[in-house]
Amino acid sequence: EVQLLESGGGLVQPGGSLRLSCAASGFTFSNSAMSWVRQAPGKGLEWVSSISTSGSNTYYADSVKGRFTISRDNSKNTLSLQMNALRAEDTAVYYCAKEQWLVRVLDSYFDYWGQGTLVTVSS
Amino acid sequence: SSELTQDPAVSVALGQTVRITCRGDSLRRYSVSWYQQKPGQAPVVVICPKDNRPSGIPDRFSGSSSGNTASLTITGAQAEDEADYYCSSRDSSGNHNWVFGGGTKLTVL
């Protein structure tokens, strides 16, 4: 059974830092690209960042570029998101999501999601 | 970047058919996937790229696409289908980014 378990959320002051982690199990972690997707209270889903299987390629939404860093440790089946210079608008539930590549259609989607961890940026 | 546009809310009578639409330039190039999210829960994929349905998803859920528009159809809506639905695709800029629609709240009457 695929499981994605996020941790590290909490209350942080504006300008502060926080590191989120996602522990993966039930699949070959090193074979899957991974992403972070967030959802502000009462709002829709917003893609934040993605990382390739090896970790050599990373991608960011413009809203977090230069402040957030995604990384992975394939030996520990762990995905991370280092968040610096946090702003009130970063307040959200952060989901870890596994990407599934479909060879027959040459495209991918998010086939599994964690339950999320809440990040609150407030003074 | 690109945007995906969804109607904010749609309602359907129990047992009837409802269509939820998603529009955006990225859909001309990339496939769409659809996610269902119930209050307090994580999203769940209900339609994967090229309008396929993952295992475990009832066959009343189906997808279709044409040009810049994609649709999620629920044929014979059930009370448990009441949820928020989001479409998603790759960003049309070709930089491996993702984009989500704003979401459609489905109410089953």
Side-chain angles (χ1 to χ4, degrees):
Chain A
E1 177 191 6
V2 172
Q3 289 194 332
L4 299 170
L5 185 59
E6 302 95 336
S7 61
L11 175 63
V12 60
Q13 293 187 339
S17 298
L18 212 56
R19 186 177 183 86
L20 305 183
S21 294
C22 172
S25 62
F27 65 102
T28 305
F29 182 70
S30 58
N31 286 350
S32 293
M34 300 292 295
S35 291
W36 288 98
V37 178
R38 69 184 180 184
Q39 186 170 35
K43 303 298 184 181
L45 301 173
E46 178 189 15
W47 172 78
V48 173
S49 181
S50 294
I51 188 167
S52 61
T53 54
S54 66
S56 59
N57 295 300
T58 57
Y59 311 94
Y60 299 94
D62 289 343
S63 58
V64 307
K65 198 173 297 182
R67 300 187 298 122
F68 290 12
T69 302
I70 191 172
S71 61
R72 65 190 297 161
D73 185 337
N74 287 343
S75 67
K76 296 182 178 178
N77 292 350
T78 300
L79 175 72
S80 298
L81 185 68
Q82 177 66 41
M83 304 186 295
N84 297 331
L86 284 161
R87 307 166 180 167
E89 54 264 36
D90 295 319
T91 295
V93 173
Y94 284 73
Y95 294 102
C96 163
K98 171 183 171 293
E99 295 187 25
Q100 175 66 47
W101 173 252
L102 295 177
V103 175
R104 58 187 169 81
V105 300
L106 299 180
D107 210 336
S108 54
Y109 67 105
F110 301 111
D111 62 342
Y112 288 96
W113 300 63
Q115 283 304 304
T117 186
L118 176 63
V119 172
T120 302
V121 184
S122 175
S123 55
Chain B
S1 63
S2 64
E3 293 184 352
L4 295 177
T5 301
Q6 298 181 239
D7 292 330
V10 171
S11 62
V12 61
L14 184 67
Q16 296 304 300
T17 297
V18 62
R19 177 173 293 179
I20 298 171
T21 59
C22 174
R23 294 181 175 84
D25 288 341
S26 64
L27 301 184
R28 296 184 184 279
R29 179 177 179 182
Y30 297 104
S31 299
V32 69
S33 49
W34 289 92
Y35 303 88
Q36 176 194 69
Q37 186 181 35
K38 297 181 179 179
Q41 297 183 19
V44 172
V45 60
V46 293
I47 296 292
C48 12
K50 295 303 182 187
D51 309 323
N52 291 292
R53 194 173 53 250
S55 61
I57 300 302
D59 60 5
R60 63 179 179 272
F61 289 88
S62 63
S64 62
S65 299
S66 178
N68 73 333
T69 302
S71 298
L72 171 69
T73 300
I74 306 174
T75 304
Q78 302 300 302
E80 60 264 32
D81 300 333
E82 185 163 293
D84 294 325
Y85 291 86
Y86 296 90
C87 58
S88 178
S89 78
R90 290 290 189 180
D91 187 301
S92 59
S93 62
N95 55 6
H96 295 270
N97 293 359
W98 291 90
V99 63
F100 285 91
T104 298
K105 180 173 180 55
L106 175 67
T107 299
V108 180
L109 304 172

Coordinates of all heavy atoms in Angstrom, one line a residue, chain A residues 35 37 39 43-47 50 59-62 95 99 102 104-105 107-111 113-115, chain B residues 30-31 33 35 37 40-45 48-50 52 86 88 90 95-102:
Chain A
S35 N 6.2 15.7 -6.1 CA 5.8 17.1 -6.0 C 5.2 17.5 -4.7 O 4.8 16.7 -3.9 CB 4.7 17.4 -7.1 OG 5.2 17.3 -8.4
V37 N 2.2 20.2 -3.4 CA 1.0 21.0 -3.8 C 0.4 21.5 -2.5 O 0.3 20.8 -1.5 CB 0.0 20.1 -4.5 CG1 -1.2 20.9 -4.9 CG2 0.6 19.4 -5.8
Q39 N -2.6 24.1 -0.4 CA -4.0 24.6 -0.5 C -4.2 25.6 0.7 O -4.2 25.1 1.8 CB -4.9 23.4 -0.4 CG -6.4 23.8 -0.6 CD -7.3 22.5 -0.7 OE1 -7.0 21.5 -0.1 NE2 -8.3 22.6 -1.5
K43 N -9.3 27.7 -0.1 CA -8.9 28.0 -1.5 C -8.7 26.7 -2.3 O -8.8 25.6 -1.7 CB -7.7 28.9 -1.5 CG -7.9 30.2 -0.8 CD -9.0 31.0 -1.4 CE -9.1 32.4 -0.7 NZ -10.2 33.2 -1.3
G44 N -8.3 26.8 -3.5 CA -8.0 25.7 -4.4 C -6.6 25.2 -4.3 O -5.8 25.7 -3.5
L45 N -6.3 24.2 -5.1 CA -5.0 23.6 -5.1 C -4.0 24.4 -5.9 O -4.4 25.0 -6.9 CB -5.1 22.2 -5.7 CG -6.0 21.2 -5.1 CD1 -6.1 19.9 -5.9 CD2 -5.5 20.9 -3.6
E46 N -2.8 24.5 -5.4 CA -1.7 25.2 -6.1 C -0.5 24.4 -6.1 O 0.1 24.0 -5.1 CB -1.4 26.6 -5.4 CG -0.3 27.4 -6.1 CD 0.1 28.6 -5.3 OE1 -0.2 28.7 -4.1 OE2 0.8 29.4 -5.8
W47 N 0.0 24.1 -7.3 CA 1.3 23.4 -7.4 C 2.4 24.3 -6.9 O 2.5 25.5 -7.2 CB 1.5 23.0 -8.9 CG 2.9 22.4 -9.1 CD1 3.3 21.2 -8.8 CD2 4.0 23.1 -9.7 NE1 4.7 21.1 -9.2 CE2 5.1 22.3 -9.7 CE3 4.2 24.4 -10.2 CZ2 6.3 22.6 -10.2 CZ3 5.4 24.8 -10.7 CH2 6.5 23.9 -10.7
S50 N 8.3 20.5 -8.0 CA 8.5 19.1 -8.4 C 10.0 18.8 -8.5 O 10.8 19.7 -8.7 CB 7.8 18.8 -9.8 OG 6.4 19.0 -9.7
Y59 N 11.8 22.0 -10.2 CA 10.9 23.0 -10.8 C 10.1 23.7 -9.7 O 9.7 23.0 -8.7 CB 10.0 22.3 -11.8 CG 10.7 21.4 -12.7 CD1 10.8 20.0 -12.4 CD2 11.3 21.8 -13.9 CE1 11.5 19.1 -13.3 CE2 12.0 21.0 -14.7 CZ 12.1 19.6 -14.4 OH 12.8 18.8 -15.3
Y60 N 9.9 25.0 -9.9 CA 9.2 25.7 -8.9 C 8.1 26.7 -9.5 O 8.3 27.2 -10.6 CB 10.2 26.6 -8.1 CG 11.3 25.8 -7.4 CD1 12.5 25.5 -8.0 CD2 11.0 25.3 -6.1 CE1 13.5 24.8 -7.3 CE2 12.0 24.6 -5.4 CZ 13.2 24.3 -6.1 OH 14.2 23.6 -5.4
A61 N 7.1 26.9 -8.7 CA 6.1 27.9 -9.1 C 6.8 29.3 -8.9 O 7.6 29.4 -8.0 CB 4.9 27.8 -8.2
D62 N 6.4 30.2 -9.7 CA 7.0 31.6 -9.6 C 6.8 32.2 -8.2 O 7.6 32.9 -7.7 CB 6.3 32.5 -10.6 CG 6.7 32.2 -12.0 OD1 7.8 31.5 -12.2 OD2 6.1 32.7 -13.0
Y95 N 0.7 19.4 0.6 CA 0.6 18.0 0.3 C 1.8 17.5 -0.5 O 2.3 18.2 -1.4 CB -0.7 17.7 -0.6 CG -2.0 18.0 0.0 CD1 -2.7 19.1 -0.2 CD2 -2.6 17.0 0.9 CE1 -4.0 19.4 0.4 CE2 -3.8 17.2 1.5 CZ -4.5 18.4 1.2 OH -5.7 18.6 1.8
E99 N 4.0 11.4 -8.6 CA 3.7 11.4 -10.0 C 3.8 10.1 -10.6 O 4.7 9.3 -10.4 CB 4.6 12.4 -10.7 CG 4.5 13.9 -10.2 CD 5.3 14.8 -11.1 OE1 5.6 14.5 -12.2 OE2 5.7 15.9 -10.5
L102 N 2.7 7.9 -17.5 CA 2.0 6.9 -18.4 C 2.7 6.9 -19.7 O 2.6 7.8 -20.5 CB 0.6 7.3 -18.5 CG -0.3 7.3 -17.3 CD1 -1.7 7.8 -17.6 CD2 -0.4 5.9 -16.7
R104 N 2.2 5.2 -22.4 CA 1.3 5.1 -23.6 C 0.8 6.4 -24.0 O 0.3 6.6 -25.1 CB 0.2 4.1 -23.3 CG -0.6 4.4 -22.1 CD -1.6 3.2 -21.8 NE -2.3 3.4 -20.6 CZ -3.3 4.2 -20.4 NH1 -3.8 4.8 -21.4 NH2 -3.9 4.3 -19.1
V105 N 0.7 7.4 -23.0 CA 0.2 8.7 -23.4 C 1.2 9.8 -23.3 O 0.9 10.9 -23.5 CB -1.1 9.0 -22.6 CG1 -2.2 8.0 -22.8 CG2 -0.7 9.2 -21.1
D107 N 2.5 11.2 -20.7 CA 2.1 12.3 -19.8 C 2.0 11.7 -18.4 O 2.1 10.5 -18.2 CB 0.8 12.9 -20.2 CG 0.6 14.3 -19.8 OD1 1.3 14.8 -18.9 OD2 -0.2 15.0 -20.5
S108 N 1.8 12.5 -17.4 CA 1.8 12.0 -16.1 C 0.7 12.7 -15.3 O 0.0 13.6 -15.8 CB 3.1 12.2 -15.4 OG 3.6 13.5 -15.5
Y109 N 0.5 12.2 -14.1 CA -0.6 12.8 -13.2 C -0.2 12.4 -11.7 O 0.8 11.7 -11.5 CB -1.9 12.2 -13.5 CG -2.1 10.7 -13.3 CD1 -2.9 10.3 -12.2 CD2 -1.6 9.8 -14.1 CE1 -3.0 8.9 -12.0 CE2 -1.7 8.4 -13.9 CZ -2.4 8.0 -12.8 OH -2.6 6.7 -12.6
F110 N -0.9 12.9 -10.8 CA -0.6 12.6 -9.4 C -1.5 11.5 -8.9 O -2.7 11.6 -8.8 CB -0.9 13.9 -8.5 CG -0.1 15.1 -8.9 CD1 -0.8 16.2 -9.5 CD2 1.2 15.1 -8.7 CE1 0.0 17.3 -9.9 CE2 2.0 16.2 -9.1 CZ 1.4 17.3 -9.7
D111 N -0.9 10.3 -8.7 CA -1.7 9.1 -8.4 C -1.9 8.9 -6.9 O -2.8 8.2 -6.5 CB -1.2 7.9 -9.1 CG 0.2 7.5 -8.7 OD1 0.9 8.4 -8.1 OD2 0.6 6.3 -8.9
W113 N -1.6 10.9 -2.9 CA -1.4 12.2 -2.1 C -1.2 11.8 -0.7 O -1.9 10.9 -0.2 CB -2.5 13.1 -2.3 CG -2.8 13.6 -3.7 CD1 -3.2 12.8 -4.8 CD2 -2.8 14.9 -4.2 NE1 -3.4 13.6 -5.9 CE2 -3.1 14.9 -5.5 CE3 -2.5 16.2 -3.6 CZ2 -3.2 16.1 -6.3 CZ3 -2.5 17.3 -4.3 CH2 -2.9 17.3 -5.7
G114 N -0.4 12.6 0.1 CA -0.4 12.4 1.5 C -1.6 13.2 2.1 O -2.4 13.8 1.4
Q115 N -1.7 13.1 3.4 CA -2.8 13.8 4.1 C -2.6 15.3 4.4 O -3.5 16.0 4.7 CB -3.2 13.1 5.4 CG -3.9 11.8 5.2 CD -5.2 12.0 4.4 OE1 -6.1 12.8 4.8 NE2 -5.4 11.3 3.3
Chain B
Y30 N -1.4 19.4 -23.6 CA -1.2 18.4 -22.6 C -2.5 17.7 -22.2 O -3.6 18.3 -22.3 CB -0.5 19.0 -21.4 CG 0.8 19.5 -21.6 CD1 1.1 20.9 -21.8 CD2 1.9 18.7 -21.8 CE1 2.4 21.4 -22.0 CE2 3.2 19.1 -22.0 CZ 3.4 20.5 -22.2 OH 4.7 21.0 -22.4
S31 N -2.4 16.6 -21.6 CA -3.6 15.8 -21.2 C -4.0 16.4 -19.8 O -3.2 17.0 -19.1 CB -3.3 14.3 -21.0 OG -2.9 13.8 -22.2
S33 N -6.0 15.7 -16.0 CA -6.4 14.8 -15.0 C -7.4 15.5 -14.1 O -7.3 16.7 -14.0 CB -5.2 14.2 -14.3 OG -4.3 15.2 -13.8
Y35 N -9.3 15.5 -10.2 CA -9.2 15.2 -8.8 C -10.4 15.5 -8.0 O -11.0 16.6 -8.2 CB -8.0 15.8 -8.2 CG -6.7 15.5 -8.9 CD1 -6.3 16.3 -10.0 CD2 -5.9 14.4 -8.6 CE1 -5.2 15.9 -10.7 CE2 -4.8 14.0 -9.3 CZ -4.4 14.8 -10.4 OH -3.3 14.5 -11.1
Q37 N -12.0 16.1 -4.2 CA -11.6 16.4 -2.9 C -12.8 16.6 -2.0 O -13.5 17.6 -2.2 CB -10.6 17.6 -2.8 CG -10.0 17.8 -1.4 CD -9.1 19.0 -1.3 OE1 -9.3 20.0 -2.0 NE2 -8.1 18.9 -0.5
G40 N -11.8 18.2 4.3 CA -10.9 17.6 5.3 C -10.0 16.5 4.8 O -9.3 15.9 5.5
Q41 N -10.2 16.2 3.5 CA -9.4 15.0 2.9 C -8.5 15.5 1.8 O -8.6 16.6 1.2 CB -10.4 14.0 2.4 CG -11.3 13.4 3.4 CD -12.2 12.3 2.8 OE1 -11.9 11.7 1.7 NE2 -13.3 12.0 3.5
A42 N -7.5 14.6 1.5 CA -6.6 14.9 0.4 C -7.3 14.6 -0.9 O -8.3 13.8 -1.0 CB -5.4 14.0 0.5
P43 N -6.8 15.2 -2.0 CA -7.4 14.9 -3.3 C -7.2 13.5 -3.7 O -6.2 12.8 -3.3 CB -6.6 15.9 -4.2 CG -6.1 16.9 -3.3 CD -5.8 16.3 -2.0
V44 N -8.1 13.0 -4.5 CA -8.0 11.7 -5.1 C -8.3 11.8 -6.6 O -9.2 12.4 -7.0 CB -9.1 10.7 -4.5 CG1 -9.2 9.4 -5.2 CG2 -8.9 10.6 -3.0
V45 N -7.4 11.1 -7.4 CA -7.6 11.2 -8.8 C -8.8 10.3 -9.2 O -8.9 9.2 -8.8 CB -6.3 10.7 -9.5 CG1 -5.9 9.3 -9.2 CG2 -6.4 10.9 -11.0
C48 N -7.4 10.0 -15.1 CA -6.0 10.2 -15.4 C -6.0 10.6 -16.9 O -7.0 10.6 -17.6 CB -5.1 9.0 -15.2 SG -5.8 7.5 -14.9
P49 N -4.7 11.0 -17.4 CA -4.6 11.5 -18.7 C -5.2 10.6 -19.8 O -5.2 9.3 -19.6 CB -3.1 11.6 -18.9 CG -2.6 11.9 -17.5 CD -3.5 11.1 -16.6
K50 N -5.7 11.2 -20.8 CA -6.4 10.5 -21.9 C -7.7 9.9 -21.5 O -8.0 8.8 -22.0 CB -5.4 9.5 -22.6 CG -4.2 10.2 -23.3 CD -4.6 11.2 -24.3 CE -3.4 11.8 -25.0 NZ -3.7 12.9 -25.9
N52 N -8.7 8.2 -18.9 CA -8.8 6.9 -18.3 C -9.2 7.0 -16.9 O -8.9 8.0 -16.2 CB -7.5 6.2 -18.5 CG -7.2 5.9 -19.9 OD1 -7.8 5.0 -20.5 ND2 -6.2 6.5 -20.5
Y86 N -11.1 19.3 -9.2 CA -10.1 20.1 -9.8 C -9.5 19.4 -11.1 O -9.3 18.2 -11.1 CB -8.9 20.3 -8.8 CG -9.3 21.0 -7.6 CD1 -9.7 20.4 -6.4 CD2 -9.2 22.4 -7.5 CE1 -10.1 21.1 -5.3 CE2 -9.5 23.1 -6.4 CZ -9.9 22.4 -5.3 OH -10.3 23.1 -4.1
S88 N -6.3 19.4 -13.9 CA -4.9 19.7 -13.8 C -4.2 19.3 -15.1 O -4.6 18.3 -15.7 CB -4.2 19.1 -12.6 OG -2.9 19.3 -12.6
R90 N -0.1 19.9 -17.3 CA 1.2 20.6 -17.4 C 1.0 22.0 -17.9 O 0.0 22.3 -18.6 CB 2.1 19.9 -18.4 CG 2.6 18.5 -18.0 CD 3.6 18.6 -16.8 NE 4.2 17.3 -16.5 CZ 5.1 17.1 -15.6 NH1 5.4 18.1 -14.8 NH2 5.6 15.9 -15.4
N95 N 7.8 24.1 -19.3 CA 8.9 24.0 -18.3 C 8.6 23.0 -17.2 O 9.1 23.2 -16.1 CB 9.1 25.4 -17.8 CG 7.8 26.0 -17.2 OD1 6.8 25.3 -17.1 ND2 7.9 27.2 -16.8
H96 N 7.8 22.0 -17.5 CA 7.6 20.9 -16.5 C 6.8 21.3 -15.3 O 6.6 20.6 -14.4 CB 8.9 20.3 -16.0 CG 9.7 19.6 -17.1 ND1 9.5 18.3 -17.4 CD2 10.6 20.1 -18.0 CE1 10.4 18.0 -18.4 NE2 11.0 19.1 -18.8
N97 N 6.2 22.5 -15.3 CA 5.4 23.0 -14.2 C 4.0 22.4 -14.4 O 3.6 22.0 -15.5 CB 5.3 24.5 -14.2 CG 6.7 25.1 -13.8 OD1 7.7 24.4 -13.6 ND2 6.7 26.4 -13.7
W98 N 3.2 22.4 -13.3 CA 1.9 22.0 -13.3 C 0.9 23.2 -13.0 O 1.3 24.2 -12.4 CB 1.6 21.0 -12.2 CG 2.3 19.6 -12.4 CD1 3.6 19.3 -12.0 CD2 1.8 18.5 -13.1 NE1 3.8 18.0 -12.3 CE2 2.8 17.5 -13.0 CE3 0.6 18.2 -13.7 CZ2 2.6 16.2 -13.6 CZ3 0.4 17.0 -14.3 CH2 1.4 16.0 -14.2
V99 N -0.3 23.0 -13.5 CA -1.3 24.0 -13.2 C -2.6 23.3 -12.8 O -2.9 22.2 -13.3 CB -1.5 25.0 -14.4 CG1 -2.0 24.2 -15.6 CG2 -2.4 26.1 -14.1
F100 N -3.3 23.9 -11.9 CA -4.6 23.4 -11.5 C -5.7 24.4 -11.8 O -5.5 25.6 -11.8 CB -4.7 23.2 -9.9 CG -3.9 22.0 -9.5 CD1 -2.6 22.1 -9.1 CD2 -4.5 20.7 -9.4 CE1 -1.9 20.9 -8.7 CE2 -3.8 19.6 -9.0 CZ -2.5 19.7 -8.6
G101 N -6.9 23.9 -12.1 CA -8.0 24.8 -12.2 C -8.5 25.3 -10.8 O -8.0 24.8 -9.8
G102 N -9.3 26.3 -10.8 CA -9.7 26.9 -9.5 C -10.7 26.0 -8.7 O -10.9 26.3 -7.5

